[in-house]
Amino acid sequence: MLRSAVRPMVAASRKSLFSTTAKRDMKILAILYDGGKAADQEPRLLGTTENKLGLAEWLKSQGHEYIVSSDKEGPNSVFQKEIKDAEVLITTPFHPGYLTKDLIESAKNLKLCVTAGVGSDHIDLNAAVEKNIQVLEVTGSNVTSVAEHVVMSILLLVRNFVPAHEMIERGDWKVSEVARNAFDLEGKVVGTIGAGRIGFRVLQRLLPFGPKELLYYDYNPLPDHAAKEVNARRVEDLKEFVSQCDIVTVNTPLHEGTRGLVNADLLKHFKKGAWLVNTARGAICDKDAIAAAVKSGQLNGYAGDVWNVQPAPKDHVWRTMKNPLGGGNGMVPHYSGTTLDAQQRYANGTRTILENYFAGKPQEPANIIVGLGKYESTAYGQRK
Ligand code: NAI
């Protein structure tokens, strides 16, 4: 039995407002990716349709209907059919169920969207604001995981690791062929576009490498003590910022103000031969402009795990693009924020959000991206 049916944050919209017995028949829809054999063998792959974020037994015991599927495209998909009367939607950025304005219009009972992870751009947040649908993330759940991946990606590009490893697999041994484009991270200028939880952690982890300078570009300045801790200088003009960096890392959410931010025009302002790492969202970088910049050598390399479409089509140019020396590609599937450690954290966090929702308790403020009728986060664009 649930403890209370009164949920202050959504009370007005709940039929059970004055009931003392909790509603037990809530429909909760989760769109996750299929884990297949890996998920059967590895129960810690919680974010899969097989392991259901570890929530199935618990939700059943609470009397709720819990529908889990990976089928998300087209009007006949489980996602688009079941969303029509679901009250809670759980999605992950790794296999995003794109909740468009039209789907939001059709979702008559929807009150709460939970992103199991960080990054809710797959939801039309403006439409959620209009319809009083709350959007919550498990803030911080995988920021260390991503920051580590960023540092790894910077190193593998700067040190020309991928071509060196491929050479070894091929059976070759030509040191000069890989050393001709290998450098040290020490002494380089590294900058992050976005200095929130991940961007700041990247700067923290880069400091011991002895960079020449650490820079950041963000409309929310770092608190003084944080900027001091990582010895980072803020540059307020984006073109000026990129023109000073040997390495740029992108760590902002995707929203109207960041979609296509790194485009052909901005790439002209990068130092020739700079490296770019993007683990934030693929669509922040213009797909074709990036491929052209890598091909010409304007960028010496591009790495990341996020794509403008996920799963990325087989012929996506980012899978195979190379710099003029045959390297410079550090792309992987979207997994930096879904290590087994991270999955445990975002599965736990999802459960806590649901517990709060069922019990009518306030949510952790940092988790609220869209509250009732308004943005609560300042990270999804500068708004009045
Ligand atoms: P956060 O909210 O702590 O920080 C985001 C920062 O970006 C904020 O400081 C904000 O002011 C800044 N920002 C927003 N728009 C900007 C703009 N136009 N120009 C400059 N700065 C801007 O978010 P957190 O936790 O650092 O995550 C950032 C993003 O990383 C997420 O929104 C998500 O898209 C992505 N991410 C990717 C993962 C992966 O597995 N690849 C996992 C987790 C997050």
Side-chain angles (χ1 to χ4, degrees):
M1 184 66 71
L2 299 179
R3 271 166 285 175
S4 163
V6 183
R7 284 177 266 147
M9 297 176 78
V10 292
S13 55
R14 298 279 297 136
K15 279 189 204 148
S16 54
L17 186 60
F18 301 109
S19 165
T20 50
T21 51
K23 191 178 169 191
R24 292 176 62 85
D25 57 351
M26 215 175 279
K27 179 159 170 177
I28 298 167
L29 172 63
I31 301 302
L32 306 174
Y33 58 88
D34 292 327
K37 202 166 121 193
D40 293 335
Q41 293 173 348
E42 179 48 84
R44 289 173 298 175
L45 275 170
L46 288 167
T48 56
T49 51
E50 290 82 358
N51 297 326
K52 302 179 172 51
L53 289 166
L55 299 174
E57 289 308 309
W58 171 62
L59 286 175
K60 196 173 159 204
S61 75
Q62 302 289 300
H64 300 302
E65 186 185 3
Y66 184 37
I67 297 171
V68 180
S69 177
S70 62
D71 181 25
K72 65 187 180 80
E73 303 300 336
N76 292 323
S77 62
V78 173
F79 174 41
Q80 298 199 13
K81 283 202 299 206
E82 299 291 348
I83 193 68
K84 295 203 167 83
D85 60 350
E87 178 163 341
V88 177
L89 172 68
I90 302 171
T91 51
T92 76
F94 310 104
H95 181 73
Y98 293 102
L99 191 66
T100 59
K101 190 176 169 54
D102 285 351
L103 282 179
I104 286 182
E105 292 289 341
S106 75
K108 301 293 180 212
N109 290 344
L110 190 62
K111 307 274 191 305
L112 173 69
C113 297
V114 185
T115 300
V118 174
S120 300
D121 50 279
H122 54 286
I123 293 168
D124 187 326
L125 297 175
N126 293 331
V129 168
E130 264 174 45
K131 292 282 170 190
N132 280 341
I133 295 169
Q134 298 187 80
V135 181
L136 276 81
E137 296 181 352
V138 188
T139 296
S141 57
N142 52 13
V143 295
T144 299
S145 323
V146 179
E148 287 184 3
H149 195 99
V150 172
V151 174
M152 175 188 77
S153 301
I154 289 173
L155 282 168
L156 69 83
L157 287 181
V158 170
R159 307 199 61 89
N160 208 21
F161 176 83
V162 176
H165 179 69
E166 288 169 345
M167 171 187 288
I168 286 302
E169 278 201 325
R170 276 198 313 272
D172 292 342
W173 185 287
K174 289 181 191 147
V175 173
S176 58
E177 282 302 308
V178 286
R180 69 183 294 185
N181 199 21
F183 298 84
D184 295 340
L185 174 51
E186 185 179 67
K188 302 295 182 289
V189 178
V190 193
T192 175
I193 301 179
R197 294 173 183 84
I198 296 173
F200 177 70
R201 281 167 177 74
V202 170
L203 296 176
Q204 277 181 318
R205 282 157 179 74
L206 288 174
L207 196 57
F209 285 93
K212 183 171 177 195
E213 203 178 10
L214 294 176
L215 307 180
Y216 76 98
Y217 170 83
D218 195 320
Y219 54 73
N220 282 315
L222 281 170
D224 282 348
H225 66 91
K228 222 177 248 170
E229 180 191 324
V230 291
N231 200 14
R233 177 166 64 87
R234 183 177 176 213
V235 181
E236 291 189 48
D237 180 85
L238 184 57
K239 288 177 179 162
E240 226 175 82
F241 166 83
V242 297
S243 73
Q244 296 177 36
C245 294
D246 298 301
I247 301 152
V248 174
T249 153
V250 183
N251 297 293
T252 68
L254 174 64
H255 55 76
E256 303 97 307
T258 56
R259 187 174 292 278
L261 189 67
V262 184
N263 53 28
D265 181 45
L266 187 68
L267 283 162
K268 286 188 206 141
H269 296 269
F270 277 61
K271 280 189 190 174
K272 183 158 174 59
W275 295 275
L276 177 59
V277 172
N278 174 18
T279 53
R281 285 295 177 261
I284 297 173
C285 295
D286 181 286
K287 170 173 75 78
D288 296 324
I290 293 292
V294 172
K295 189 173 176 199
S296 72
Q298 172 61 12
L299 285 180
N300 199 352
Y302 181 90
D305 66 328
V306 286
W307 304 71
N308 59 325
V309 184
Q310 293 190 183
K314 280 216 160 65
D315 61 351
H316 196 293
V317 64
W318 286 5
R319 287 182 186 264
T320 51
M321 62 189 176
K322 295 275 195 291
N323 66 22
L325 295 174
N329 186 329
M331 291 306 296
V332 293
H334 190 171
Y335 85 113
S336 72
T338 192
T339 57
L340 294 181
D341 301 299
Q343 296 198 36
Q344 187 64 62
R345 290 190 295 265
Y346 65 66
N348 290 347
T350 301
R351 178 168 169 153
T352 304
I353 289 170
L354 292 176
E355 282 171 346
N356 289 340
Y357 182 69
F358 298 157
K361 285 191 192 159
Q363 299 285 357
E364 173 63 46
N367 286 345
I368 308 174
I369 304 303
V370 170
L372 281 181
K374 62 179 169 82
Y375 279 87
E376 295 290 349
S377 166
T378 62
Y380 281 81
Q382 289 171 288
R383 293 164 209 281
K384 281 176 212 142

